[in-house]
Structures are given as C-alpha cells and as structure tokens.
Amino acid sequence: MKFDLLKNLELQARTQVTGYELFRNEKMPYSATTYGREQAKGDYREDRRSLLENNTDVLLNYNKTFAHDISLRAVGGFSGRFFRYNSNYASTDYLSVPGVYTFDNSLNPTRANSFNSRMQVLSALYSVDVNLGRYATLSTTGRWDKNSTLPSDKNVYFYPSAGVSTVVSDYVRTPAAISFVKLRASYANVKEAFTQQNVYTAFSPLNGSNPLGYGQTFASPYEGPSYGTTVAYTISRPYNNEAAASYANALVDPNLKPSSRTSFEAGLDVRFLKNRIGLDVAYFSYLDGPRIFGLTLPEATGYSSLTTNGIKSQKRGLEIALTGTALKSARGLNWDVTLNWSTFQEYLKEIYGSQTRLNQFYKVGDRLDAYYGSAFARTREGQIINDANGRPVVNPVNQFLGYTNADFAFGFINKFNYRNFFLNVQVDGRVGGVIEDYIQKQTFRGGRHIETVQGKMGEARYQDYKGVASWVGPGVVLTNGNIQYDVDGNITNFESLSFSPMSDANKTYLQDWISRYYNTNEANMISRSFVKLREVTFGYQIPSQVLQGRLGL
Amino acid sequence: MKKILYSLVLLLSLGSCQKFEELEKNPNLPVQVPADLVLKDILMDMYEGTWNKDARYNQYYTVNYNYYGNNEYDWTTSDLRYTTLKNVLKMEEEAKKNLSTDKNAYAALGKFFRAYFWFWMTQRVGDVPLKDALQGEANITPRYDTQKDIYLQVLTWLDEANTDLGSLQAAGQATLPLKGDIYLNNSLNSWQKVVNAFKLRVLINLSKRTDDADLKVKTRFAEVVSNPTKFPLFTGNADNLQFVYNAVYNKYPINPDNFGNDATRQEMSATHVELLKRYQDPRLFVTAEPAEAQLKKGVKATDFAAFVAPSPALSLDVMSTGANNGEYSFINRNRYYKGYTPEPTVILGYSEQSFNIAEAINLGWATGDAADYYQKGILANMDFFGIKNGTNTVVFEIRNAGVATSQSFTISFDPTAYLGQSLVKYAGNTTEGRKQILNQKYLALFMTSGIEPFFNWRRTGYPDNFATQGAGIGTRGIPRRWQYPVSDRLYNETNYREALQRQFGSATQDNVKDELWMLK
C-alpha cells in the first residue's frame, strides 16, 4: 500500500508472509541393518516441520532534488518480524509386522520429540542517501532492534552503516593517460543475538542425537531463536525409557550484549588509456566481535562454559583485478585479459579478560585457520620416534600441522575474437593451505591403497600374508626410557631417552605399521594448492545480417 | 484488500498470544523438575560401563585389531565429575521444594554422592577444588584442596549420610519419598549399606596413609566393622549396588548386535586367565573359551591348559597374528554374546567389601577372621557367575571344519576342595595372605567396579602377574595418575600451577608418572 501524503513524501506499508510445511518420512525395511540395529526389524519415522514468518513494515519516504543535481532521499519507519516454528519427530523402535509403516506397528514403544519456538523483532530504521551531483554520493542507515531472544531489560540495540563514493576524474583534471578514477569506502555494523541459520530434526535442539542412534539429521532454513539465554533442565530417557533430568552446563552472563560485526571496505578503480587498461583494488576488513561465545570454565565451577561476550577476530583481505585490452582491431584479432589476485586471512585479536588461549591452541595474533591434529613424537632433530616394535609413537597432544586457508587465489581470463570467431580461456587457482587426505587415510588403513601392493610396501604386504614381519618404517627407535610430555606435547626428558637407528630387530607387520602411521592426521596432510583450467570455449557467432528477416527475428 | 485482511489476521495470531518478554524463555525445557528425575541422571553417571578401555586398563581383556583399538596405557587427561555434582546440588534444591524440608532422603544421598564423586576425581588426578567448587559464576577460579582434605571431607560426608539415612529410617521412612532409584528399589536401608561399604573402599584405598593422625584410617575402619548396628554393611550379593541391563534400552555392552564386529577382534587377557589357571578356578570356563589351537592339539575343552590368553604387554602385531592362528581364548560367546542381559555390572559389591575387610584384618586394622571374609568374597563371586556346588554345565563355541557350534560340557565344583588348595587356602595374616586376598579380589571384580581393580594394583602391586612393561603397554609404561583437564590449565592457571607445585614439586609438570599423595 502506498499513499502520497505530501509532495515528495510517501507513506508505504507492506506485509509479507513466508514459511514452509515440511514432511519427510523414512522407511527402513525389515532385514536391512545399520550400525546398532542388528535385529534388522525395520523402522518408520516422520519428521514434520512448519515455519511461518511475517514481516510487516511501515515506511515514510522523502525525495527531494535540489539545484546542481543535488538530491536527497530519506526513509524512516518501523518494521516487525513475527516468527513461529513447530516441529516434531517420531520413530518406531523396530516394527512388529514387516512392511507396515505406521507408528502403531512399533515393536517397542515409539520415540517422539518435539521442538517449538517463537520470536519477535520490532525495529525502527532509517536511511539517508545524499547525491552531491558530480562530486560524491553519501549514504547512511541505522536500525534499532528490540529482539525477543534477549533478556527483556537488554533487548534493544542499534547498528549503523555509512558509505561514500566519488568519481575523482569528474571534477579533478587528470593526466591524459588516466581516463577514470573512482574511490569508494563503506562502513557497516551488524548486531545479532541468539538466532541460528538452520534448524535440524526436532530432537537436535534439545538432546542432540537420534533416540535410536541412527539416521540423518536434515537441515532446513530457520533464522529463528536458538534460546541461548536459557539455563534449564534437559529431559532424557537414559534408563529403561524412564525420564531423567540434568541441569544445563552453560551459564549465561546476565549482562550479555548482542554480537557485533563491523566491516570496513575501501576501493580504488582506475582506468588508463581510454579505458583500455583498468585496475580495481579493494581492501576489506571485518572485525568480528565481541561475539557471543561460550567461555570455557574450569569444570570445578559445576559448569563447562559461560555464555558471554568476548573474542574479537579480524578478517583482512585484498583483491586486485587488472583488466586490459591487449589487442584491439575492428577487423582483426582482439584480446581481452583479466588478471585477478586476492588474499584474506583471519587473525585472533582478543580473547576474554586475561585468557591467553582460545580452544587450547590459539593465542592472540594467531591465524584462526591454524590446524592442529595428531602428530608423531619426534627427536630434537625432527626424526619420528618409534617404539621397540617399530611403530611410530604418537604425541598425546595435537600439534600444529599447517594453515587451512590459501595464501592467495588468482584468476587469468582471456577472451580472443577474430571477426565472428571467439575463444575464451580461463585459468584459476589457489596457492597454499593444507588439508587432510581422508581417502588416503582410510584406503591405507583398510589395505586398499594402491601403494600397499607396489614396491617395498607390496613386498612387505606379501610377507605379512606369509606371517613374516618385514617392514621397517622411517625414523629412529626408542631404546631406553619412557617419553614424558608437557601439556603442549613437548618432550621434556630427552636427556633420559636414548635412540638408535631402526634395524631388523624393529621389523613389524606392514599393516600394523600402517594402522598406526596413517591413523594420524600428520601422515595424511596434503597441500591444497591447485591450478585449474576452468574453461575453454570456442565459438562462432552467426552474423546478425544472415539471420535478419528469417526465423521470425 | 482481502489479502491485507488475511495478513492482519495472521499477524495478530502470530503476535498476540504471548507477551514479548515471555518469548525469550525456551518453551521446550523445564526450569524446575521433581527431584527424582535428577536423581536418575546422577545414578546413571555412577555407571561406567564395562568391556571398555577401563576394563583393558584393568587387564581383563585385550583387543588384537589395531583398526579398532589397542591395549596401551596411553591416557592423558581425566574427566572430572563436577557437572554431576552440580546436578547433586540441583537435586537437593528440587527435593527441598518438593518436600518442603531439607532433612530428606535426597539430601542424605546427596552427601553420599559428593563423597562418591570427589573420591572418584581425587583418585585420578590428586588435589581438586572442593571448598571453592560448584559456585558457578561466583567463583570461576576455584582453589584446589589437598588430597588429604578431600579424603577427610569424603569420610565426614559418608558419616553424615549414614547418620541421616539412619535417622530417617528411625523416623519411619523406609523409601525415597519421590522414588526415582534405578538401583536399590528406593530402599533407604540398602543405600545406608552402600554408604558404609563405600566407606570401607575409601579407607582401604588409604592403606599407605595409615600413619595420618587426622585420617585415622585404622580406627575408622575398625569402627565400621565392629558396629553393624550403627554401620550396616552388605550381607550378600542381593545388596550389591549394580546396573541391571534390559534388552531394549540398556543393553549389555557386548551383545548380539556387535558380535560380528568384536567377538574375534577381542580376547581374554593373560593377567586374568593365568591367575584363574593358577587357582584351578572354574570361573575360567564361564568367562572364557578354550583356544582353538589347543583343541587341535588334542587338549580337552575343559582342561585348564586349553585356555591361553595374550598378555596386554604383547606387541599388537604379534597378538593379531596369534589371534588369527587361533592361539587365544575368546570371551565366552555363549555367556556374553547370546543375549542382551548376561549379567548386571556391579558398581560396589559384597565380594569387594568382604575382601576389603579381609585385607584390613590382614593388616591388623581390625579384629576378626580374615580367612572367613576372604572365603565369603570368593564364594559370593562364584555365585555371581552361577557356579554352584556340584555339577555345572558350561558352553563353548567350538569350530570344526570352519563351522562354530555351541557345545556343552560339564565341570564339577567343590567349594571345599577349591578353598582347600594350597595356593588358595588362606595363608594367615601375612604378606602371602594379603597377596591371596588381593589376587582373589581382582578375580572377583572381573568386568565390574569401574577402574577399582587398577587402583588396587596401583596401591598394592597385586595381582602379582599384572603386566607392567612391554610394547603393548606403550612407551611410557603404566601411568600412576591422570593429568588435569586442559581447561584447568587454560582457565584456572594460577591455582592449577599451585596445586602441581604443592603435590609434585614443579608448577609446570603435569606428569602422569607422578605419585599421588595417597600413594606416597
């Protein structure tokens, strides 16, 4: 609905309803099994979810154009979000009669869960855009939310944004080679509290796992309350289907504030030689935090965490795009090139109070994509330490194994055309970062990796089959002493340990060595770097005059 | 216009039913519950399972298949039990609301649970917070209390729990007012016996600290044993605190569901089997099966020599080869893999209590006939395994031409003859006698009582054939304690370091090989 109230002033009201009804059922046939369901008597389950959301807003628009192309647009108003979600999940516990998929046919009592939620957000908001003719455009927004997910005395919060852009070359004389210069910058802050993006099967928000221990949990869109401020009992049925209750392990800070994310972006767009070469540089920085997070408490408090505000991290990135026309000829060969290069990293800026570590490993200043995993105990010289049986010793504390994010990503896009023929070639890639090769790990452990039948390993595997231990792995063998580690997994008693090179006495069965060696994360880390030939397109464009007047065109 | 009307109706229906302020609360969870629901959760936390890593640390069985595990003593940090203890506080709080008095049976049990779980923790790591503990946000850096102070407080709680349970019964209350007990049928008398039997476990664990003038270990022990009216104790297996399984919701950990996966990847352990063979003990036939390779050699299935098990110290590759060659005794498949409820898992039992008293008499803490308690402990456990005086049927899975079939055999058991064997007959209140008591206690605790069998070995060195060195144990040998949880170091560092310095002489070393105060 729109009403024009005065000249330049317009009142707008709108309301919209979105939602979904979801019904998902599963039939587990008689005699099919999965882990833990070896009685193989089938099951029937239903997952029902219903989400309904209404967004209503009333906005006042003001538009005014002044002299010299200067204009103003201002919007102010109120908006409301009304959210409701209901779900339930039920499952038989085996079937009495095969093939009859109903709850009444359950052999043992049925299991059922429900999860319902409601939420409201009432907001007041404004935005102002000012166009200063050829000099600049400015915009700013602001929003107050009153959110039902927060305690009633602390549920109102404000967050603003602002942006400016200016085409410098429109009002400053530039050297002839520079044809266009534009600068832009923006700032935005977003606050949020205790909602979650997706919702899972009805048992998940409460007890976490399927009452029968098998089955996929399916995510559907939610954006509703996660009830993070609740400190209450959880009901479970741990013994003989009888109800029991345990109290929450997470306390909630009574002075909790919404989480905050502040982003800043700045960009430069320069074009040279009548737009033949273009350079676009963008820098961004997201300051994430203070977040809402679970501060780990020493368990002696009776609780495992305190939901509070803390942890700041900063994601910084740079993106550079160079575009150019290398060859340009109306009747000859044309070649357009784009080169992209980008990088970003996230660093930990602040934890909480005097805390020195986040999640056991991360210190202030560390990259948050640092990966810690199981690793071998090593000598001072870095050699793998093996036990008397010739199997590597695994460090009891996870160790740093690399960063998971790439150092940078790049793209190289080429477009050629000659008359009506064209060829596009696109190459891109990422450099840096590590990942665990899970396929390698499990194929080695399961004896199905190609290397287990080739070369030295193939020979040792044959010896395994004959019952002869023949494999000697890399590293040294611990000949005396018991390894002691400190809490970070550093070996503290090298002086009382002695090592010697691996010998025939340390021969082991290959498959036992593999089970140990490849069961660590360290043995399976691979580089994530890649270069990909993303696209090659070759084509011919039929001249428009050929088709003109035909095919009804 | 119609659409707008619909929207408005919807809007009203979404927004009107509840006050805005009410929406913050999670409608799916209660903030108040009857005390018996919380009790049930606490009781579940007392159950620690069996046929798990703890049972391997006790050396009752071994796994031969690397892919699914090993027999190493590779532990680092311990869990703690403060979240359970927090539930104890909540249970007491709810009971007070439900019953309008704080002098109730839940409060009395609450004292026992405090004793039980603090003992659980200090036995593993040493000093832990007690006075400053369980205060939530009010104290997020609690100071550690010394192990001695914890034992003192544990003993005080047990005395109070005993007194309170006694007075409630004297006042005519026989059962828990709200029920909720999954172990002892809500009987206050049964719980009172548990409290005192547990006190004996605590005291016997302090056998290296009998010199302590505050703990007064010997006096306290004698006081309990000599006054059954004030300190009622277990009088038979019927009094056992035990977890009873059911076929639908709480299945025995090894059962037909995992038979295919586990039965041949696990086998018995030499520590247990060799001890049974030494005493010519029929419990061997009930818990284990003869090794295929021995049967092939012509050894009879009910011959003790047919039973062979690997030491947990054996390198896993050698063990798996041996297992593939049929050299080892598997877990008795007829007993443990045929159904879902082969036996209850004892948490605290009559046999253990009998051996604890026998050991105390052996050590001169109390007067009485150690041999009598020793024999009662043995026979009660024979009874637990269904071994009766006379002819008994035992069943083994025996493989012939690749097909395993169940075969029954008869064995005879004569308690007098068993107890009269030179190695079994109580040698008197001597070191040899103590060894017999502790070896038999180890056999009686088979697959029960959490990690108490390991604690017995740690304290006394018995059973005497406990494997201590070897590739299968791991490169650091058998640890003496657990490290504190990582969260203690990261989030309560000052107090954590102070506790380490005080106990082990270094603020930076949280070492599993260090000795606890109670063992020094």
Side-chain angles (χ1 to χ4, degrees):
Chain A
M1 278 184 293
K2 277 189 185 179
F3 303 97
D4 289 327
L5 298 179
L6 292 165
K7 192 171 175 253
N8 302 332
L9 191 64
E10 178 186 276
L11 178 71
Q12 183 183 12
R14 59 186 174 190
T15 182
Q16 127 195 0
V17 178
T18 54
Y20 59 78
E21 290 289 327
L22 186 148
F23 171 73
R24 205 168 174 265
N25 64 352
E26 279 177 38
K27 295 171 182 173
M28 180 78 159
Y30 230 71
S31 78
T33 61
T34 177
Y35 281 122
R37 301 295 284 173
E38 274 78 358
Q39 287 180 46
K41 290 179 177 167
D43 267 321
Y44 177 66
R45 3 186 80 191
E46 284 185 2
D47 179 353
R48 288 175 187 270
R49 310 177 195 185
S50 143
L51 183 146
L52 191 61
E53 180 177 334
N54 167 266
N55 282 285
T56 299
D57 48 30
V58 180
L59 300 170
L60 213 48
N61 276 313
Y62 179 77
N63 280 296
K64 174 97 179 161
T65 307
F66 304 94
H68 308 292
D69 283 344
I70 290 169
S71 63
L72 170 79
R73 177 169 182 269
V75 180
F78 300 95
S79 103
R81 176 166 180 249
F82 307 93
F83 176 94
R84 160 192 270 184
Y85 177 79
N86 296 310
S87 69
N88 60 62
Y89 177 82
S91 175
T92 61
D93 185 357
Y94 289 130
L95 300 175
S96 300
V97 180
V100 178
Y101 297 104
T102 66
F103 294 122
D104 302 289
N105 190 34
S106 185
L107 178 65
N108 299 314
T110 47
R111 312 287 182 96
N113 305 80
S114 63
F115 174 76
N116 300 324
S117 65
R118 282 177 167 217
M119 175 181 167
Q120 291 180 15
V121 185
L122 305 176
S123 312
L125 45 95
Y126 71 81
S127 79
V128 179
D129 298 325
V130 183
N131 192 341
L132 298 173
R134 62 187 174 120
Y135 293 106
T137 53
L138 305 169
S139 61
T140 174
T141 69
R143 185 180 176 112
W144 289 264
D145 279 354
K146 179 177 160 77
N147 192 337
S148 72
T149 60
L150 285 163
S152 55
D153 54 337
K154 301 197 172 56
N155 59 5
V156 180
Y157 48 89
F158 172 75
Y159 49 100
S161 80
V164 58
S165 73
T166 174
V167 179
V168 178
S169 51
D170 279 359
Y171 53 89
V172 174
R173 184 176 291 264
T174 54
I178 299 174
S179 37
F180 179 82
V181 180
K182 182 181 176 183
L183 293 169
R184 61 181 189 275
S186 67
Y187 160 91
N189 175 253
V190 178
K191 290 195 174 76
E192 201 272 332
F194 299 118
T195 61
Q196 62 190 42
Q197 205 177 2
N198 291 319
V199 72
Y200 299 86
T201 319
F203 53 74
S204 298
L206 304 175
N207 291 324
S209 63
N210 192 299
L212 289 174
Y214 83 95
Q216 294 290 322
T217 61
F218 169 77
S220 58
Y222 182 61
E223 300 293 354
S226 59
Y227 292 118
T229 58
T230 304
V231 184
Y233 288 97
T234 302
I235 307 278
S236 60
R237 300 185 169 272
Y239 189 75
N240 209 13
N241 208 24
E242 295 167 21
S246 63
Y247 200 66
N249 288 329
L251 284 169
V252 179
D253 180 351
N255 297 312
L256 201 68
K257 294 185 184 70
S259 65
S260 160
R261 170 182 265 210
T262 304
S263 58
F264 172 76
E265 282 181 55
L268 165 73
D269 185 353
V270 194
R271 287 176 217 159
F272 305 91
L273 307 175
K274 294 184 178 160
N275 296 346
R276 213 164 148 178
I277 298 174
L279 174 70
D280 194 326
V281 180
Y283 168 84
F284 66 87
S285 154
Y286 296 147
L287 189 64
D288 219 340
R291 303 180 194 182
I292 293 173
F293 84 112
L295 170 70
T296 307
L297 295 179
E299 204 198 305
T301 55
Y303 296 84
S304 49
S305 68
L306 171 70
T307 306
T308 185
N309 295 111
I311 303 184
K312 278 187 190 167
S313 64
Q314 189 182 28
K315 194 186 264 183
R316 293 194 296 259
L318 187 64
E319 290 169 6
I320 299 172
L322 189 63
T323 51
T325 305
L327 295 170
K328 191 172 182 178
S329 151
R331 298 189 54 79
L333 185 66
N334 290 284
W335 179 19
D336 291 325
V337 189
T338 307
L339 248 166
N340 297 316
W341 182 92
S342 67
T343 183
F344 75 89
Q345 301 302 347
E346 189 173 6
Y347 298 88
L348 184 62
K349 301 282 283 183
E350 204 177 293
I351 305 176
Y352 175 87
S354 59
Q355 305 294 338
T356 53
R357 297 280 185 102
L358 175 67
N359 299 338
Q360 186 173 357
F361 299 112
Y362 301 98
K363 297 188 290 288
V364 169
D366 282 357
R367 272 169 64 169
L368 282 172
D369 60 330
Y371 180 76
Y372 290 83
S374 55
F376 303 113
R378 289 176 183 273
T379 61
R380 282 191 177 117
E381 295 74 35
Q383 286 192 286
I384 293 175
I385 300 173
N386 292 280
D387 64 20
N389 273 324
R391 290 172 309 166
V393 176
V394 178
N395 195 311
V397 184
N398 282 355
Q399 300 291 303
F400 174 70
L401 296 176
Y403 294 105
T404 57
N405 286 345
D407 299 333
F408 64 89
F410 67 91
F412 184 43
I413 303 164
N414 295 280
K415 286 182 180 170
F416 300 93
N417 64 66
Y418 179 77
R419 306 216 172 166
N420 287 328
F421 293 96
F422 64 89
L423 172 69
N424 295 344
V425 180
Q426 186 177 338
V427 176
D428 58 31
R430 275 195 275 183
V431 176
V434 295
I435 191 170
E436 186 187 12
D437 186 348
Y438 187 76
I439 303 277
Q440 171 183 300
K441 174 181 183 170
Q442 296 303 59
T443 48
F444 263 120
R445 295 185 67 219
R448 284 170 172 78
H449 196 281
I450 185 74
E451 282 187 30
T452 61
V453 294
Q454 292 173 339
K456 253 182 83 188
M457 275 196 181
E459 176 54 27
R461 182 171 164 140
Y462 180 58
Q463 296 299 324
D464 272 18
Y465 159 75
K466 292 201 291 186
V468 178
S470 67
W471 179 256
V472 181
V476 295
V477 63
L478 177 69
T479 47
N480 196 29
N482 290 328
I483 303 177
Q484 294 183 4
Y485 303 88
D486 70 9
V487 284
D488 288 321
N490 301 311
I491 296 174
T492 56
N493 63 334
F494 274 118
E495 63 291 345
S496 59
L497 303 175
S498 44
F499 305 103
S500 65
M502 298 281 278
S503 71
D504 283 0
N506 312 116
K507 279 180 173 169
T508 175
Y509 291 100
L510 174 70
Q511 199 54 39
D512 281 281
W513 180 86
I514 280 176
S515 281
R516 178 74 67 94
Y517 188 86
Y518 285 103
N519 200 23
T520 60
N521 299 125
E522 183 182 348
N524 298 294
M525 299 309 291
I526 54 170
S527 164
R528 296 181 81 168
S529 297
F530 67 87
V531 176
K532 191 179 266 181
L533 177 61
R534 175 82 58 184
E535 183 189 320
V536 179
T537 320
F538 179 72
Y540 175 76
Q541 191 175 0
I542 299 168
S544 54
Q545 58 267 38
V546 174
L547 291 175
Q548 208 152 37
R550 298 174 201 182
L551 303 169
L553 294 169
Chain B
M1 207 60 199
K2 229 177 178 181
K3 268 186 185 165
I4 298 166
L5 263 175
Y6 280 137
S7 309
L8 283 174
V9 169
L10 266 171
L11 183 73
L12 287 171
S13 69
L14 278 165
S16 62
C17 306
Q18 271 172 303
K19 272 192 184 163
F20 190 90
E21 287 71 28
E22 293 294 308
L23 296 175
E24 185 211 344
K25 297 192 174 64
N26 189 340
N28 304 286
L29 299 178
V31 288
Q32 201 175 322
V33 296
D36 59 307
L37 295 196
V38 193
L39 171 67
K40 213 168 285 164
D41 201 76
I42 297 163
L43 294 177
M44 282 304 292
D45 285 350
M46 291 180 79
Y47 164 67
E48 297 182 54
T50 185
W51 297 97
N52 50 14
K53 271 217 125 172
D54 282 355
R56 300 212 286 281
Y57 298 147
N58 294 337
Q59 304 193 357
Y60 284 134
Y61 82 110
T62 53
V63 297
N64 59 49
Y65 194 62
N66 228 333
Y67 196 90
Y68 288 120
N70 56 50
N71 308 303
E72 285 183 33
Y73 286 76
D74 53 1
W75 73 61
T76 52
T77 59
S78 176
D79 294 339
L80 297 177
R81 283 290 179 268
Y82 289 105
T83 49
T84 305
L85 284 161
K86 180 243 340 255
N87 280 323
V88 172
L89 299 192
K90 297 306 285 185
M91 175 190 73
E92 291 168 352
E93 205 179 295
E94 300 294 351
K96 196 176 169 183
K97 273 187 253 172
N98 299 146
L99 304 164
S100 319
T101 166
D102 53 8
K103 292 210 179 335
N104 63 60
Y106 294 91
L109 284 189
K111 286 174 181 157
F112 167 70
F113 293 137
R114 282 180 172 78
Y116 187 88
F117 291 112
W118 251 293
F119 175 76
W120 192 100
M121 295 192 287
T122 196
Q123 287 277 99
R124 279 167 173 75
V125 297
D127 296 3
V128 287
L130 189 151
K131 289 190 205 78
D132 285 0
L134 302 180
Q135 295 177 16
E137 281 172 277
N139 188 349
I140 63 167
T141 51
R143 294 192 26 192
Y144 293 59
D145 290 79
T146 64
Q147 195 172 36
K148 175 180 162 174
D149 286 347
I150 291 163
Y151 284 117
L152 276 172
Q153 183 60 57
V154 161
L155 291 167
T156 306
W157 275 323
L158 290 172
D159 282 339
E160 289 174 7
N162 179 51
T163 309
D164 293 355
L165 285 168
S167 354
L168 285 163
Q169 289 172 76
Q173 202 184 113
T175 57
L176 280 167
L178 304 168
K179 319 292 182 199
D181 179 6
I182 59 175
Y183 294 141
L184 298 168
N185 205 18
N186 305 296
S187 160
L188 298 194
N189 180 245
S190 300
W191 276 107
Q192 199 183 359
K193 292 177 186 174
V194 168
V195 168
N196 295 314
F198 182 70
K199 188 173 168 188
L200 298 189
R201 179 192 276 184
V202 173
L203 289 168
I204 206 76
N205 265 285
L206 292 169
S207 64
K208 293 214 164 161
R209 282 293 175 182
T210 49
D211 56 330
D212 193 279
D214 301 311
L215 285 170
K216 292 184 287 214
V217 172
K218 295 180 189 177
T219 324
R220 286 181 204 255
F221 201 103
E223 186 190 22
V224 174
V225 178
S226 63
N227 191 350
T229 321
K230 189 177 173 200
F231 299 99
L233 284 171
F234 291 155
T235 54
N237 281 340
D239 288 333
N240 285 356
L241 178 69
Q242 62 188 14
F243 190 88
V244 179
Y245 297 90
N246 57 70
V248 179
Y249 301 102
N250 307 89
K251 300 172 182 176
Y252 194 71
I254 58 172
N255 60 51
D257 294 352
N258 46 40
F259 171 74
N261 205 51
D262 293 341
T264 59
R265 288 173 178 156
Q266 304 174 344
E267 67 272 298
M268 304 303 286
S269 151
T271 314
H272 183 245
V273 165
E274 289 305 316
L275 210 52
L276 288 168
K277 283 161 77 177
R278 187 196 300 177
Y279 297 142
Q280 302 279 296
D281 195 309
R283 282 174 284 188
L284 183 60
F285 305 122
V286 180
T287 55
E289 291 189 351
E292 200 181 338
Q294 297 298 313
L295 298 180
K296 276 194 186 143
K297 278 192 224 159
V299 182
K300 268 175 53 193
T302 51
D303 191 331
F304 285 96
F307 291 77
V308 179
S311 162
L314 199 62
S315 161
L316 207 57
D317 50 355
V318 179
M319 196 188 289
S320 58
T321 310
N324 284 338
N325 295 338
E327 289 170 19
Y328 303 135
S329 291
F330 289 126
I331 297 155
N332 190 301
R333 285 170 277 188
N334 186 67
R335 180 178 181 86
Y336 290 112
Y337 280 114
K338 283 271 148 61
Y340 294 99
T341 57
E343 66 189 35
T345 294
V346 173
I347 298 167
L348 182 67
Y350 172 70
S351 279
E352 182 190 335
Q353 176 193 284
S354 305
F355 291 116
N356 288 343
I357 299 174
E359 187 185 348
I361 295 171
N362 176 287
L363 294 170
W365 299 3
T367 51
D369 183 0
D372 184 48
Y373 285 107
Y374 166 75
Q375 291 177 0
K376 279 179 179 155
I378 295 171
L379 294 179
N381 193 244
M382 293 287 180
D383 191 49
F384 178 86
F385 282 105
I387 299 165
K388 48 190 196 299
N389 188 352
T391 309
N392 293 269
T393 305
V394 292
V395 182
F396 306 129
E397 295 284 308
I398 290 180
R399 198 153 69 156
N400 254 329
V403 182
T405 51
S406 294
Q407 297 185 24
S408 301
F409 300 86
T410 52
I411 55 155
S412 64
F413 174 62
D414 176 0
T416 321
Y418 176 83
L419 296 171
Q421 298 178 82
S422 61
L423 288 175
V424 180
K425 191 169 189 296
Y426 186 59
N429 297 339
T430 59
T431 314
E432 183 61 24
R434 187 169 182 231
K435 179 176 103 180
Q436 288 175 315
I437 293 167
L438 284 153
N439 281 356
Q440 284 288 351
K441 181 178 176 184
Y442 176 77
L443 295 178
L445 293 184
F446 179 69
M447 289 299 159
T448 71
S449 310
I451 201 164
E452 189 62 19
F454 170 78
F455 289 149
N456 281 309
W457 169 80
R458 184 177 72 172
R459 173 176 65 90
T460 65
Y462 299 121
D464 57 86
N465 65 338
F466 208 77
T468 56
Q469 282 289 334
I473 301 287
T475 46
R476 18 167 238 204
I478 299 187
R480 303 293 291 177
R481 60 178 285 274
W482 279 256
Q483 291 171 342
Y484 289 98
V486 173
S487 57
D488 278 30
R489 168 168 59 95
L490 296 175
Y491 301 100
N492 193 11
E493 189 170 358
T494 313
N495 296 316
Y496 161 79
R497 302 233 180 265
E498 184 194 74
L500 285 179
Q501 177 72 45
R502 182 166 72 204
Q503 296 175 89
F504 312 117
S506 159
T508 53
Q509 295 294 304
D510 189 352
N511 197 323
V512 294
K513 300 288 275 187
D514 277 334
E515 201 74 288
L516 298 176
W517 174 86
M518 64 164 295
L519 296 166
K520 280 177 187 160

